[in-house]
Amino acid sequence: MSDALKAFEDGLDEVEASYREVLSGAADEPSLRAANAKLVGPEGRLTKLLKLMKSVPGDRRKDLGQRSNAVKNAIKELFDGQLEALAAAAREAELTGPALDVTLPGRRPLPGRLHPITRIKHELMDVFTSLGFDIADGPEIDTHENCFDKLGFPPDHPATDMQDTFFVKGADGNVDPRTLLRTHTSTIQIREMSRREPPLAVVGPGVVYRRDDDATHSPMFHQLEGLLVDENVSMADLQGALQVFLSRLFGEVVEVRLRPSYFPFVEPGAEVDARRPGGEWMEIGGCGMVHPVVFEHVGYDPEKWTGFAFGMGIDRMAMVKYGVPNIKALFENDVRFLSSF
Ligand code: FA5
């Protein structure tokens, strides 16, 4: 007798003798499926055996083939029967087991809440609309002209170094030096004045981008731009508007100071700092009286019109209001941190 024939016959004898016990011993569906796979799965006993068939002498193939098929069918039948029996037993256990306890407390859905920056943005828009300001918007990708030139930045002025940004590729695939991610919301001033006649009062919140990265600087952050143009506007009006919105936002717990500073598009210009009592000063924005050259660029008569503008860092205001030491914490989306406010 050939070795292959003997191995085949012995193997088949063994499978025939053991499959019933193997399948009936399974107590649940996963173990039944595992037992079935040991017999007829890709690596199963019978599957491997059938691969030997081609080495079996020709005159025995028919007879052994028939026996193998019969075992295969028997295995399938037993498996199906067992599967059904296990499902029926599980159903039965559910029906006769302990009843569903309808008094158990439900699972409470976790309510979402607004991000602290979104909340401050909404509060700011509420304050300014109640003071008569309109809400304005502008695109995050804008032109060099709207972001710098019309605001009075001379070409290649060092002031643009502080607002190094990300440029955008044009349709030809080359970086277009005239199209960029806006570095401040002051683009909104230019856009609003270019499409409207004075007098006007607008605020525009938005996302801006710079090549910045440390504890108080993020490469993507939020600003709120404010612009008021009318006749006889003075620095006192600016200070008044700042005082109203900052005291509404912070209450009385935060001190605010103005510090003279330079921005090409205002004259005079100032920086706005805030701190909690005993804490560190934090620069939250810039402001000033609109420079006549800006009015000229948008076609307003600088002899007739005056105005103030400001640009506040919304993230910085959130840091002061909620005592957040590192700006990154606002963007990591750690729910434990965000839900502590
Ligand atoms: C400006 O962006 C001016 N456009 C503001 C302005 C508007 C002045 C109108 C006058 C008139 P500045 O670069 O200082 O200015 O930014 C304004 C505020 O944005 C800062 O005071 C600070 O609060 C915030 N800020 C600036 N860079 C970052 C940054 N990388 N991450 C977070 N906040 C920032």
Side-chain angles (χ1 to χ4, degrees):
M1 199 195 274
S2 79
D3 286 353
L5 179 59
K6 174 139 180 37
F8 197 100
E9 285 191 322
D10 288 353
L12 198 55
D13 287 346
E14 190 202 314
V15 173
E16 272 177 337
S18 64
Y19 78 88
R20 269 186 209 85
E21 201 181 325
V22 171
L23 290 178
S24 341
D28 54 22
E29 190 183 324
S31 33
L32 177 65
R33 289 188 184 280
N36 189 55
K38 275 194 190 141
L39 293 166
V40 294
E43 293 293 314
R45 189 90 184 81
L46 188 60
T47 314
K48 280 187 175 159
L49 208 54
L50 289 172
K51 288 183 185 151
L52 290 178
M53 183 65 102
K54 53 182 180 304
S55 326
V56 168
D59 59 338
R60 296 298 315 280
R61 274 194 207 158
K62 187 171 175 214
D63 144 47
L64 286 175
Q66 279 171 350
R67 254 181 82 197
S68 311
N69 266 341
V71 182
K72 208 169 171 181
N73 290 338
I75 290 174
K76 169 132 181 50
E77 205 174 302
L78 184 56
F79 171 76
D80 289 346
Q82 283 288 99
L83 200 58
E84 213 168 281
L86 285 172
R91 235 179 356 255
E92 184 63 21
E94 235 170 59
L95 290 174
T96 55
L100 186 69
D101 182 355
V102 292
T103 65
L104 276 178
R107 275 185 211 147
R108 200 183 281 271
L110 281 176
R113 64 170 78 198
L114 293 176
H115 191 281
I117 291 177
T118 308
R119 284 218 305 271
I120 291 201
K121 201 163 82 179
H122 288 180
E123 283 171 36
L124 291 172
M125 288 197 283
D126 279 352
V127 174
F128 281 105
T129 45
S130 76
L131 294 174
F133 283 72
D134 300 327
I135 306 287
D137 198 5
E140 289 172 33
I141 298 178
D142 211 327
T143 59
H144 197 284
E145 206 177 27
N146 286 339
C147 198
F148 298 118
D149 308 340
K150 287 194 168 169
L151 285 163
F153 286 83
D156 300 321
H157 190 274
T160 55
D161 285 355
M162 300 206 301
Q163 301 193 4
D164 196 4
T165 184
F166 305 89
F167 289 79
V168 174
K169 283 186 180 161
D172 60 2
N174 294 322
V175 173
D176 171 6
R178 309 299 303 168
T179 311
L180 42 78
L181 296 184
R182 68 181 174 194
T183 57
H184 54 180
T185 45
S186 298
T187 50
I188 295 176
Q189 290 185 34
I190 300 297
R191 288 177 163 271
E192 285 300 299
M193 287 191 279
S194 303
R195 68 179 193 91
R196 290 173 64 171
E197 287 303 316
L200 58 83
V202 292
V203 285
V207 173
V208 302
Y209 303 86
R210 289 185 197 179
R211 238 190 62 180
D212 277 352
D213 200 9
D214 63 29
T216 55
H217 293 80
S218 161
M220 183 281 309
F221 62 103
H222 301 78
Q223 287 189 338
L224 177 88
E225 194 75 9
L227 171 70
L228 181 141
V229 181
D230 206 333
E231 290 177 60
N232 303 316
V233 179
S234 75
M235 195 85 181
D237 298 315
L238 168 61
Q239 178 122 19
L242 290 176
Q243 232 149 38
V244 169
F245 99 77
L246 292 171
S247 61
R248 288 240 209 129
L249 181 69
F250 292 132
E252 282 168 3
V253 290
V254 165
E255 296 173 81
V256 175
R257 74 175 179 199
L258 287 186
R259 198 160 34 86
S261 185
Y262 171 75
F263 300 94
F265 37 98
V266 288
E267 179 57 37
E271 236 132 18
V272 185
D273 299 336
R275 73 168 173 190
R276 289 164 166 268
E280 298 281 311
W281 286 107
M282 169 91 78
E283 182 197 310
I284 57 166
C287 64
M289 303 305 292
V290 179
H291 199 291
V293 82
V294 177
F295 285 145
E296 276 172 19
H297 287 158
V298 297
Y300 286 6
D301 178 359
E303 298 295 325
K304 178 168 184 201
W305 299 108
T306 47
F308 67 69
F310 55 80
M312 296 289 150
I314 300 181
D315 326 77
R316 296 277 184 92
M317 290 192 272
M319 291 170 80
V320 173
K321 179 160 179 167
Y322 299 118
V324 178
N326 193 317
I327 195 166
K328 304 275 184 318
L330 292 169
F331 303 120
E332 282 167 349
N333 281 337
D334 180 337
V335 177
R336 287 165 302 180
F337 166 76
L338 292 175
S339 54
S340 61
F341 304 114

